[in-house]
Amino acid sequence: MAHDAAAPAASGLVLIRNIGLLLSGDITKPVLDADAILVRDGRIAAIGRLKDLDAEGARTIIDAHGCAVVPGLIDSHVHPVAGDWTPRQSQMNWIDSTLHGGVTTMISAGEVHTPGRPRDVVGLKAMAISAQRMFTAFRPGGMKIHAGAPVIEPEMVEQDFKDLADAGVTLLGEVGLGGVKDGPTARRMVGWARQYGIQSTIHTGGPSIPGSGLIDAAVVLEADTDVVGHINGGHTALPDREIRCICEGCKRGLEIVHNGNERAALYTLRTAREMGQLERVILGTDGPAGSGVQPLGILRMISMLSSLGDVPAEEAFCFGTGNTARMRALDCGLIEVGRAADLTFLDRPQHGAGKTLLEAVQLGDLPGIGMVMIDGIVRTGRSRNTPPAVVVPEVVAG
């Protein structure tokens, strides 16, 4: 495992041409009428038809050869520890492996698996600030990791949240994984966090590991965190009536995770659809965890929710891209001018039943990834983890 990740160079002008299908990540308009993207210094500069774009002087030209391009996938719920290693399952290079699953951004729900994790206020603040600094500087394969998410404890006061924000911390770890498990205390501290620009999430459901506890619908609703973490349980889900109560009782993000209850995931999806609020659905893996690391976890969730939840594949991709980007205030996740050029190139898997990428996903197959780009720079070619794609892009200049 590399201990240092070099600062990325500027991409310069990059042309991506011959795109067969361009998915925007925007659930209100998931498919774009375009076959080319122009990137300048890591950001999307233009989207449209090749004949209408001024690509003169492009340093890099990528021929998509008719494959699809989607925003880089976002994992809304991970638990990093130190670099590209996790003590859960003692696994190395899990972040780099996830990059090969099309994920370009990860969001920490707390560095809770850190051996000897401090529970005192000084220690938990120090650890959060350290994690925020480390994962800002260390980007395996170019992956963007938003980390430094302290798990709150009852002894914290408002000044502690101001101190964290002043130091650059923007996230709270899962409320409920520390000593704060009641609604009134959680609501007070979540309010302090929000006041200082720190986003919050909450553990939902039964205990995830020995020592943790139940967080039910009443606590979730009273805490009023920005994201309802793993509403389908991590792993143990709440009863359907409580899931519906949460969906109907708040307007916050409904996070469905890979390491949760699949039936509860589909129930949450159906409830959100009945309410006409699919834009609230976001995806995470909740890994590394006792069940291991899931490099293809976000792709698997997209395929599962599309095929078993009867959601058009182009909308299911939005759950793991634009929905999360907007909810988490990220500059990626949508194919829009000015956004970070974090892109995943994919196609239907070889010898699958689906005749197109979208049909393959709606039939439950995983797509094959041919390339991943972060900040306009190609970070991987054909994925070592997905099934082989029928069509793969090619760098033809640069």
Side-chain angles (χ1 to χ4, degrees), residues 163-202:
D163 293 343
L164 287 164
D166 288 346
V169 170
T170 61
L171 300 167
L172 288 188
E174 289 178 65
V175 176
L177 293 185
V180 176
K181 301 183 189 298
D182 65 287
T185 304
R187 187 179 185 88
R188 182 173 68 254
M189 293 191 177
V190 165
W192 287 336
R194 191 171 287 133
Q195 178 180 337
Y196 293 107
I198 299 174
Q199 195 176 68
S200 56
T201 188
I202 191 166

Side-chain angles (χ1 to χ4, degrees), residues 93-180:
N93 302 320
W94 68 278
I95 297 173
D96 179 75
S97 198
T98 302
L99 179 66
H100 280 259
V103 174
T104 57
T105 297
M106 292 178 164
I107 300 171
S108 175
E111 297 76 39
V112 295
H113 302 313
T114 302
R117 176 171 66 89
R119 309 299 176 96
D120 65 289
V121 176
V122 172
L124 72 86
K125 286 163 62 177
M127 192 180 90
I129 294 167
S130 177
Q132 188 273 334
R133 299 288 195 277
M134 288 189 296
F135 283 103
T136 297
F138 182 73
R139 293 176 51 185
M143 178 78 76
K144 297 174 179 177
I145 307 159
H146 298 263
V151 176
I152 59 175
E153 296 291 345
E155 297 77 16
M156 296 180 75
V157 297
E158 180 179 348
Q159 184 63 41
D160 295 316
F161 293 86
K162 183 178 187 304
D163 293 343
L164 287 164
D166 288 346
V169 170
T170 61
L171 300 167
L172 288 188
E174 289 178 65
V175 176
L177 293 185
V180 176

Side-chain angles (χ1 to χ4, degrees), residues 3 53 64 68 73 89 94 104 127 137 156 163 246 274 286 293 321 327 371:
H3 293 282
L53 301 186
L73 305 179
Q89 318 302 334
W94 68 278
T104 57
M127 192 180 90
M156 296 180 75
D163 293 343
I246 291 170
E274 288 170 13
D286 194 12
V293 171
T321 57
M327 198 162 295
M371 182 179 289

Side-chain angles (χ1 to χ4, degrees), residues 4-26:
D4 297 291
S11 70
L13 189 63
V14 179
L15 171 66
I16 305 167
R17 68 190 189 195
N18 294 330
I19 298 170
L21 173 68
L22 188 57
L23 299 185
S24 68
D26 181 353

